């Protein structure tokens, strides 16, 4: 199948663009009554040449540059028409600027109306044009002298055009379907028809499309390419598409057709711009300008990261553009900037990043960021996107609309970033989500800092924090729950936090909590034994604790006075020691000497435990041993 080629004309008003197209193709592209009456092109005209070539005729008047931009935004090569009797005029310069800004490098110049000048004048004009082209980076562009009126040189022009067409590179088609609407009209019996160039992929009859920026859904009823009915339109082809359930007014020039869920409207974007060779008025930061994206013209405001207080001619600027209403573009798209009044072209360049959040702490790195966005591979640009996202998990669908790439293209880059330990992949509700590991690291540091601050300033925090409390402590806040859930899971896995029931504690607090629970269990076991004090081994078996863990726990309880060590062999709960002391006080109130038999009866102890207990009482001076008897000690008061 022959490759479809689109040729766009350019040039000053009345330099003969329309007449030259008619001489080449025998097609008059001025079809409006007003165009016939005034002798100028107002709307885009189209000539279908051969089987696979479309020539777009654009207006030359400065009032219709908006229409001209809509025409040249998708061309493969240009045909710049300059009248020999006029030479280079203002719109010649502006149109070549626009072609340059849109990246249209392939083309030729038709020096028209040579029948109106002598040979000497023609040579002077040729030299002037050569210098003009060279100054704008088009030194290899051929200049063909012609006369549309007499037919002189038209065959030469046709031959050179044919050679240029053969040099046109194939259009890449890695992205989803997109078409920028440049015309819309109603056809009796069919309904609304729009025209434009298929910029990527393909579209077929019965496919669903979405009309952006509004997001209105429609369906393809029919397609024509080169005025012939077809079932599909492919990348690079001019197509007329019949849409269902939509009026002409709802899909006028400036709208975009895409497949659902592949592209989102934008209100702000980052771009790199190159200024025109002449800027006749001062353009300041945040000044209102006209922004041209695809076939749309939208008012917006422009600010740049360079220190210049105003734009200077022939310079490169890295800019943030804020639109007054939603527009449609993708990274890599051409963007043109013109003044609001009077009208002239300021700059043009490429869109780099859609809907960026405030630069904030990344502002000091703006040069590095823009360099990556301009020249970096897809995976490097994805890394910049995740740096912008902060504490957020992003699903594959959102990434696809941000970069306007097919999911399979993105997955290759994302897999590489996972292998580089930059991203984590999370599956949720049958969709892949991605989290940046550097963001998780930073969020962990910030959250731990907030936790320690709260622990220092509030005793209530010693009990731990629930998920909601922790989320409120993280600054800046998380953009979604999925990121925070993965953060907590990661912190628990890394032992930065310990999860106990519905609470999260630091390891120190968790250890304290565990020790407190073990201490409470030990007290319970020792208390349940009553007067029958337990050995170290009995307690260890009851708690299933290793000796190394139990020894400091019992030592701490002894220090707190909650239990008492009897000769280092048995442990007695304080509750039962107090009962023993009460018994001793009563006994010594009645008798001077302790009745050991009665005391043994009271406690129910065997000799094995009774002796360490009596020794403990002597040691603490609750009793005093005199020979074989014990009397009241000084500490029993």
């Amino acid at each position: 199948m022959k490759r479809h080629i689109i040729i766009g004309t350019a040039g000053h008003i009345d330099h003969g663009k329309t007449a030259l197209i008619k001489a080449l193709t025998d097609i008059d592209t001025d079809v409006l009554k007003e165009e016939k009456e005034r002798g100028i092109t107002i709307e885009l005209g189209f000539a279908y040449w051969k089987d696979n070539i479309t020539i777009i005729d654009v207006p030359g008047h400065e009032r219709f540059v908006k229409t001209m931009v809509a025409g040249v935004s998708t061309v493969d090569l240009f045909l710049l028409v300059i009248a020999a009797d006029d030479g280079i005029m203002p719109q010649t310069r502006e149109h070549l600027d626009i072609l340059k800004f849109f990246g249209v490098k392939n083309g030729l110049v038709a020096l028209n109306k040579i029948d109106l000048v002598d040979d000497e004048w023609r040579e002077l004009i040729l030299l002037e044009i050569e210098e003009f082209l060279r100054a704008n980076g088009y030194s290899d562009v051929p200049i063909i002298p012609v006369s549309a009126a007499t037919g002189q040189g038209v065959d030469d022009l046709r031959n050179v055009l044919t050679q240029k067409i053969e040099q046109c590179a194939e259009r890449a088609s890695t992205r989803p379907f997109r078409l920028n609407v440049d015309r819309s009209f109603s056809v009796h019996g069919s309904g609304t028809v729009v025209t434009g160039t298929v910029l990527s992929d393909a579209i077929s009859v019965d496919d669903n499309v979405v009309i952006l920026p509004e997001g209105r859904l429609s369906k393809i009823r029919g397609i024509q390419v080169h005025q012939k009915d077809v079932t599909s339109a492919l990348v690079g082809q001019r197509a007329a598409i019949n849409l269902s359930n939509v009026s002409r007014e709802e899909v006028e020039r400036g709208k975009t057709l895409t497949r659902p869920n592949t592209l989102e409207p934008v209100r702000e974007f980052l771009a790199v711009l190159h200024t025109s060779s002449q800027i006749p008025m001062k353009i300041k930061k945040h000044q209102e300008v006209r922004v041209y994206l695809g076939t749309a013209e939208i008012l917006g405001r422009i600010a740049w990261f360079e220190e210049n207080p105003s734009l200077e001619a022939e310079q490169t600027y890295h800019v943030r553009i804020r639109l007054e209403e939603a527009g449609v573009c993708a990274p890599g798209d051409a963007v043109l900037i013109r003044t609001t009044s009077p009208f002239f072209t300021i700059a043009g360049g490429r869109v780099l990043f859609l809907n960026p959040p405030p630069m904030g702490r990344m502002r000091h790195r703006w040069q590095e960021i823009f360099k990556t966005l301009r020249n970096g591979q897809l995976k490097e640009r994805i890394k910049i996107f995740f740096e912008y996202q902060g504490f957020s998990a992003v699903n594959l669908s959102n990434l696809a609309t941000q970069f306007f790439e097919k999911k399979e293209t993105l997955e290759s880059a994302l897999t590489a970033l996972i292998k580089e330990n930059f991203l984590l992949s999370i599956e949720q509700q049958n969709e892949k989500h991605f989290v940046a590991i550097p963001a998780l690291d930073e969020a962990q540091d910030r959250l731990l800092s907030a936790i320690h601050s709260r622990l220092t300033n509030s005793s209530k925090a010693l009990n731990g924090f629930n998920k909601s409390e922790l989320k409120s402590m993280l600054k800046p806040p998380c953009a979604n729950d999925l990121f925070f859930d993965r953060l907590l899971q990661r912190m628990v896995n890394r032992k930065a936090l310990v999860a106990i029931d519905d609470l999260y504690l630091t390891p120190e607090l968790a250890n304290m909590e565990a020790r407190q629970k073990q201490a409470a269990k030990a007290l319970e076991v020792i208390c349940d034994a009553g007067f029958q004090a337990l050995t170290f081994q009995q307690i260890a078996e009851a708690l299933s604790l290793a000796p190394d863990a139990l020894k400091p726990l019992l030592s701490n309880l002894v220090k707190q006075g909650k239990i008492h060590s009897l000769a280092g062999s048995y442990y007695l709960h304080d509750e039962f020691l107090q009962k023993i002391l009460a018994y001793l006080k009563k006994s010594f109130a009645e008798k001077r000497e302790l009745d050991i038999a009665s005391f043994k009866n009271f406690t129910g102890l065997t000799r094995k435990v009774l002796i360490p207990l009596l020794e403990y009482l002597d040691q603490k001076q609750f009793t005093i041993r005199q020979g074989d008897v014990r009397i009241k000690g000084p500490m029993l008061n």
Side-chain angles (χ1 to χ4, degrees):
M1 185 176 65
K2 288 183 179 179
R3 194 194 143 195
H4 281 249
I5 301 296
I6 300 170
I7 301 170
T9 62
H12 197 76
I13 185 173
D14 202 32
H15 277 205
K17 295 185 291 298
T18 304
L20 194 56
I21 291 173
K22 187 171 183 179
L24 279 168
T25 66
D26 201 29
I27 296 172
D28 186 357
T29 57
D30 280 350
V31 296
L32 299 178
K33 179 182 178 183
E34 185 179 0
E35 290 177 322
K36 297 292 187 184
E37 291 174 349
R38 297 173 61 182
I40 62 171
T41 300
I42 298 172
E43 270 296 340
L44 296 177
F46 299 89
Y48 298 103
W49 185 33
K50 302 183 179 179
D51 293 330
N52 63 322
I53 299 166
T54 302
I55 303 178
I56 303 177
D57 188 18
V58 304
H61 197 286
E62 63 176 354
R63 288 174 53 199
F64 303 122
V65 168
K66 170 185 175 181
T67 307
M68 181 268 178
V69 170
V72 303
S73 62
T74 60
V75 303
D76 295 291
L77 62 88
F78 66 84
L79 175 59
L80 177 62
V81 181
I82 301 175
D85 57 340
D86 268 351
I88 298 166
M89 297 294 283
Q91 294 317 118
T92 313
R93 296 183 183 278
E94 185 169 25
H95 281 201
L96 191 65
D97 262 351
I98 292 169
L99 289 167
K100 182 167 59 177
F101 292 147
F102 275 88
V104 186
K105 297 295 185 183
N106 194 13
L108 68 159
V109 175
L111 179 60
N112 194 22
K113 302 187 180 183
I114 57 171
D115 56 309
L116 301 181
V117 299
D118 58 31
D119 291 346
E120 183 178 358
W121 180 261
R122 185 175 74 175
E123 290 305 315
L124 288 172
I125 291 297
L126 281 169
L127 289 173
E128 181 185 8
I129 294 172
E130 286 173 357
E131 175 59 31
F132 169 62
L133 292 172
R134 188 162 48 248
N136 283 278
Y138 287 96
S139 54
D140 294 331
V141 170
I143 305 169
I144 313 300
V146 296
S147 171
T150 67
Q152 183 182 352
V154 171
D155 286 341
D156 292 338
L157 179 62
R158 193 178 287 115
N159 291 335
V160 175
L161 267 177
T162 300
Q163 294 171 14
K164 282 287 183 179
I165 288 167
E166 291 173 355
Q167 296 171 9
C168 288
E170 290 285 341
R171 287 184 186 247
S173 182
T174 62
R175 287 179 151 179
F177 165 76
R178 179 168 52 145
L179 178 146
N180 294 327
V181 176
D182 52 38
R183 286 191 305 168
S184 67
F185 48 90
S186 296
V187 176
H188 183 70
S190 297
T192 299
V193 175
V194 299
T195 67
T197 301
V198 179
L199 300 177
S200 49
D201 206 27
I203 198 72
S204 300
V205 174
D206 292 331
D207 283 351
N208 292 319
V209 292
V210 61
I211 301 163
L212 296 176
E214 289 79 9
R216 188 174 291 108
L217 291 172
S218 185
K219 191 172 185 177
I220 307 293
R221 296 176 62 181
I223 301 174
Q224 281 194 348
V225 173
H226 262 237
Q227 299 178 312
K228 295 178 181 178
D229 290 333
V230 294
T231 57
S232 297
L234 309 179
V235 60
Q237 293 182 336
R238 287 281 313 171
I241 297 178
N242 184 198
L243 297 172
S244 64
N245 303 318
V246 62
S247 67
R248 180 185 66 81
E249 292 77 16
E250 290 173 316
V251 65
E252 59 193 1
R253 177 187 294 158
K255 307 299 182 185
T256 296
L257 301 187
T258 67
R259 294 189 186 277
N261 305 313
T262 57
L263 192 60
E264 295 289 339
V266 301
R267 291 300 295 267
E268 292 189 48
F269 59 90
L270 301 180
V272 57
L273 296 180
H274 308 285
T275 51
S276 298
S277 57
Q278 295 180 348
I279 302 181
M281 63 183 287
K282 186 171 285 189
I283 308 297
K284 297 181 179 180
K285 286 185 178 180
H286 307 293
Q287 182 168 324
E288 187 176 65
V289 293
R290 296 176 185 272
V291 182
Y292 296 84
L293 295 168
T295 56
E297 178 193 67
I298 308 170
L299 291 176
R301 295 188 181 274
I302 180 172
W304 49 93
F305 290 83
E306 285 78 7
E307 294 181 358
N308 310 46
S310 60
L311 293 179
E312 298 177 2
E314 293 188 318
Q315 298 295 318
T316 298
Y317 291 90
H318 300 86
V319 304
R320 186 185 189 106
I321 296 175
R322 179 174 298 171
L323 304 175
E324 291 192 4
E325 58 186 79
V328 183
C329 60
D333 281 3
V335 55
L336 188 75
I337 307 296
R338 303 186 80 227
T339 54
T340 53
S341 180
F343 301 148
F344 59 84
T345 298
I346 306 168
R350 294 284 160 182
V351 174
L352 299 179
F353 195 96
L354 308 182
N355 291 322
M359 290 287 271
R361 59 193 173 86
M362 294 172 63
R363 188 177 181 85
H364 70 285
R365 293 178 49 221
W366 70 265
Q367 290 173 312
E368 172 195 343
I369 290 167
F370 272 101
K371 182 179 179 180
T372 301
L373 293 176
R374 284 198 321 266
N375 307 319
Q377 296 179 348
L378 178 58
K379 72 171 186 175
E380 300 303 321
R381 292 186 282 119
I382 290 173
K383 289 177 74 170
I384 294 293
F385 171 76
F386 273 96
E387 286 190 59
Y388 265 124
Q389 291 306 298
F391 303 152
S392 177
V394 183
N395 64 35
L396 185 59
S397 295
N398 287 341
L399 283 167
T401 58
Q402 173 69 26
F403 291 94
F404 191 55
E405 294 285 355
K406 293 180 179 179
K407 289 184 178 180
E408 50 267 33
T409 304
L410 279 171
E411 284 185 319
S412 176
L414 292 167
T415 299
L417 290 172
I418 290 170
K419 290 179 179 178
E420 293 174 13
N421 291 320
F422 180 81
L423 290 181
L424 287 176
S425 177
I426 307 169
E427 191 83 24
Q428 187 183 67
Q429 296 179 346
N430 297 322
E431 178 150 30
K432 290 181 180 178
H433 296 71
F434 299 89
V435 173
I437 292 174
L440 286 171
D441 291 338
E442 182 181 350
Q444 175 173 316
D445 291 343
R446 287 176 176 264
L447 187 55
L448 286 176
S449 177
I451 289 171
H452 290 308
S453 176
R454 189 73 62 89
L455 289 173
T456 303
N457 298 314
S458 173
S459 59
K460 293 180 180 179
L462 294 173
N463 296 323
F465 306 93
N466 61 36
K467 179 180 172 182
S468 177
E469 288 171 325
L470 288 175
K471 191 171 184 182
S472 68
M473 291 161 61
L474 184 60
K475 305 296 180 194
C478 282
N480 48 46
D481 289 336
L482 186 57
F483 180 94
F484 195 71
D485 289 344
R486 177 46 63 102
L487 172 64
L488 289 184
Q489 179 185 334
R490 190 167 183 258
M491 291 177 75
V492 169
N493 292 343
R494 290 184 160 199
K495 302 189 183 335
L497 287 179
V498 177
I500 300 177
D501 298 327
D502 293 330
L503 294 178
Y504 293 87
L505 301 89
T506 62
E508 297 81 7
L509 279 179
N511 288 338
M512 185 186 301
E513 176 84 5
R515 287 196 299 271
Q516 288 172 346
K517 287 185 176 181
Q518 289 170 348
K521 182 65 176 174
L523 283 172
E524 181 183 346
V525 168
I526 296 169
C527 186
D528 288 345
F531 292 116
Q532 289 290 340
L534 299 178
T535 66
F536 184 92
Q537 185 62 34
Q538 288 172 323
I539 299 170
E541 290 175 359
L543 299 180
S544 299
L545 278 180
D548 289 345
L550 181 59
K551 188 173 182 179
L553 186 150
L554 294 180
S555 177
N556 193 46
L557 289 176
V558 170
K559 288 178 182 178
Q560 295 174 20
K562 294 181 178 180
I563 63 173
H564 304 276
S565 175
L566 309 182
S569 301
Y570 294 90
Y571 293 89
L572 177 70
H573 197 283
D574 184 63
E575 177 185 336
F576 290 91
L577 177 63
Q578 297 307 318
K579 290 181 180 180
I580 290 171
L581 297 180
Y583 173 86
L584 291 176
K585 288 179 183 179
K586 182 179 178 183
S587 176
F588 284 127
E590 297 172 354
K591 295 180 181 180
R592 180 178 178 274
E593 297 176 359
L594 176 62
D595 183 345
I596 297 298
S598 298
F599 183 63
K600 183 180 179 183
N601 266 342
F602 170 71
T603 59
L605 295 175
T606 64
R607 180 179 177 82
K608 187 177 180 180
V609 181
L610 183 62
I611 290 174
L613 174 59
L614 290 172
E615 290 176 350
Y616 173 81
L617 294 173
D618 292 341
Q619 180 190 347
K620 297 297 183 181
Q621 296 189 338
F622 294 121
T623 59
I624 298 173
R625 183 174 181 177
Q626 292 182 343
D628 292 332
V629 299
R630 281 175 171 80
I631 63 173
K632 181 180 179 182
M635 299 304 294
L636 197 58
N637 294 326

